[in-house]
Amino acid sequence: MKFSMDEALRMKRASRVAMTATPIAEKLRILERLRERDRAIRRAVIALDQRPTRDASA
Amino acid sequence: MALLAIFAELEAAVADGIVERYAVGGAVGATFYIEPAATQHVDVFVVFDQAASRLVSLAPIYDYFTKRGAVVQNEHLVIAEWPVQFLPAATPLVDDALVHAVRMTVDGQAVAVLSQEHLAAIALETGRMKDKIRLSQFLASGTFERLRFDSLTERFGLTEKWARFVALMEDQT
């Protein structure tokens, strides 16, 4: 399998153009989903940080 | 959609005379023109009657929205589960952006949004990394009015910042 940076950039640009042209209501829904995903990740990270740690001296 | 509920609240604030004008900016405003970029809050620029005081106070806005169910959270008002930050028009550029805000309708809900050329100029003025990324996306959007943007950079003293941004982009390509 060959990797072409030019092709990757071309596809990225095409994807960006398509997303820009997406109806506003749909883009706002995507924005809400992105935020919800970020919040879920943050909640998971906080939960991990708050796990009781083992006391090495015990 | 929660954002539509926020837009409805903003329209109500204008109808009830709490703010003279408002427009959505930041990442949510940019989403009207370019691809969505994750954000945790909504930036709303406002103009309200300051004749009574030389000090800009957001208290009337906070009073109004808290009576309608919003909750104060640090510098934000949480409306429809989104933190909303109200920003007074603090610079001539933002003032001009509010004058030239664009009226849009999303799923039947009216909303005022900063024009993409003003959003781009504000991004240039603010100058954080995420603003530079957003500015490059505006420039590539295909609907961006470059002459209008150039006029804004000249009028609001941003030509040096623009030259630095162009040099940065040239270094990246």
Side-chain angles (χ1 to χ4, degrees):
Chain A
M1 183 177 157
K2 288 184 180 175
F3 175 77
S4 162
M5 182 57 108
D6 286 344
E7 180 63 10
L9 289 174
R10 190 193 64 74
M11 288 176 70
K12 191 173 180 181
R13 272 195 295 272
S15 165
R16 183 159 282 169
V17 168
M19 181 54 79
T20 297
T22 300
I24 292 167
E26 180 56 27
K27 288 199 287 183
L28 292 175
R29 287 188 192 95
I30 292 169
L31 198 60
E32 292 200 336
R33 289 200 292 272
L34 286 172
R35 176 171 177 261
E36 194 45 53
R37 191 188 63 179
D38 272 9
R39 290 175 77 193
I41 292 169
R42 282 172 197 228
R43 282 194 295 268
V45 169
I46 289 168
L48 275 175
D49 286 348
Q50 290 177 342
R51 274 188 318 184
T53 52
R54 281 189 194 156
D55 185 350
S57 64
Chain B
M1 190 182 353
L3 286 168
L4 293 187
I6 296 169
F7 301 161
E9 286 294 290
L10 295 171
E11 289 291 311
V14 175
D16 291 338
I18 304 302
V19 295
E20 283 179 35
R21 282 193 304 275
Y22 81 89
V24 177
V28 176
T31 300
F32 283 75
Y33 307 102
I34 57 177
E35 64 193 272
T39 185
Q40 293 299 315
H41 66 272
V42 182
D43 285 337
V44 178
F45 294 92
V46 288
V47 174
F48 48 94
D49 183 12
Q50 296 171 47
S53 169
R54 291 174 66 86
L55 292 173
V56 174
S57 171
L58 294 172
I61 293 176
Y62 274 56
D63 288 346
Y64 176 79
F65 284 113
T66 51
K67 281 177 187 158
R68 293 171 68 94
V71 175
V72 178
Q73 186 184 80
N74 302 321
E75 72 274 28
H76 298 105
L77 272 170
V78 179
I79 303 173
E81 296 188 18
W82 274 81
V84 179
Q85 185 163 29
F86 288 90
L87 302 156
T91 68
L93 172 59
V94 174
D95 206 30
D96 190 72
L98 277 157
V99 169
H100 296 98
V102 183
R103 297 288 298 171
M104 301 217 195
T105 303
V106 184
D107 285 354
Q109 175 59 56
V111 60
V113 184
L114 297 185
S115 79
Q116 61 177 329
E117 293 77 19
H118 281 93
L119 282 166
I122 290 168
L124 180 66
E125 186 175 55
T126 309
R128 299 162 299 183
M129 183 52 70
K130 67 178 181 181
D131 296 307
K132 288 172 182 159
I133 292 168
R134 192 178 296 162
L135 177 52
S136 69
Q137 291 171 341
F138 279 124
L139 293 169
S141 77
T143 56
F144 191 76
E145 291 184 31
R146 182 58 194 276
L147 288 176
R148 189 178 184 206
F149 173 75
D150 287 347
S151 160
L152 292 174
T153 58
E154 283 174 24
R155 278 173 55 209
F156 295 104
L158 296 169
T159 46
E160 267 187 42
K161 280 192 173 182
W162 173 243
R164 284 201 294 273
F165 175 79
V166 171
L168 176 72
M169 295 303 285
E170 284 171 354
D171 282 349
Q172 301 296 314
T173 54

